[in-house]
Amino acid sequence: MKNIGIIASVALAATAIGIGGAHALEACNGFSVTAPMNETRVVAVLSEDGENLKAGDRRIGFSPLLDRIGNAVGTVDWETQVLAGTDGDRTRLSSDVVLNFEDGSLFARSGIFTGEAGVLNAGTRTVSDEQTRHIVGGTGAFAGASGEITFTMQENGDAVFNVQVTCT
């Protein structure tokens, strides 16, 4: 009987740890997810000039999202648009991002920002190594969401989204 109690305690602790991993998403707390740079990532550049982006051109994409141990937890959809006006090599861009999870979605937008070195490579990415997007809302577990998502490119091409979010 003593062993059953120990097994039950271990199972309960394992369940609590598992819930704790998903809890940040369910409770609208800060968390990090990764969009891997691999064959699951889809990117389309909508431009008449290909690599030479101009006002009105867009870059859209989709990728699965992984938690810190590599489990699939959702998806990310994004759209970056080139805005009118340039300043030398600097390009004005605006970007919308949707992080989708089983229990809800987060919507984020970068204000108008200027790429320091212009568009790095329209086929792979249009932003520099780090950028902040502002959370403008959410659904489900993220209803009433506000905060920021810091987007950081890793050396291997993966994108890490560090999400600082609160919900009302």
Side-chain angles (χ1 to χ4, degrees):
M1 196 67 170
K2 185 176 182 180
N3 287 342
I4 293 174
I6 292 171
I7 291 169
S9 294
V10 169
L12 183 58
T15 301
I17 290 169
I19 291 171
H23 186 68
L25 298 178
E26 295 166 4
C28 196
N29 292 320
F31 60 92
S32 293
V33 289
T34 299
M37 172 68 101
N38 61 25
E39 68 280 351
T40 61
R41 184 172 179 260
V42 178
V43 176
V45 178
L46 307 175
S47 170
E48 293 178 13
D49 262 347
E51 295 290 321
N52 300 315
L53 297 181
K54 62 187 178 324
D57 289 346
R58 296 182 301 155
R59 182 176 175 275
I60 56 177
F62 163 86
S63 180
L65 290 173
L66 309 176
D67 66 13
R68 66 176 181 252
I69 56 175
N71 296 317
V73 294
T75 60
V76 58
D77 295 282
W78 70 87
E79 178 179 345
T80 300
Q81 182 169 354
V82 179
L83 303 173
T86 61
D87 179 13
D89 289 339
R90 298 162 57 110
T91 305
R92 296 179 63 213
L93 306 169
S94 178
S95 185
D96 292 310
V97 174
V98 181
L99 301 180
N100 303 292
F101 303 99
E102 184 175 328
D103 294 334
S105 296
L106 277 171
F107 307 104
R109 166 169 267 188
S110 66
I112 298 170
F113 65 93
T114 305
E116 291 298 324
V119 173
L120 299 177
N121 178 331
T124 58
R125 61 186 170 133
T126 52
V127 298
S128 57
D129 289 338
E130 188 167 312
Q131 179 192 45
T132 299
R133 293 180 171 94
H134 302 284
I135 296 172
V136 295
T139 64
F142 300 106
S146 63
E148 302 184 330
I149 300 172
T150 303
F151 165 90
T152 306
M153 292 299 294
Q154 304 302 294
E155 196 170 301
N156 67 357
D158 291 354
V160 174
F161 296 89
N162 294 305
V163 180
Q164 297 303 316
V165 61
T166 57
C167 298
T168 58

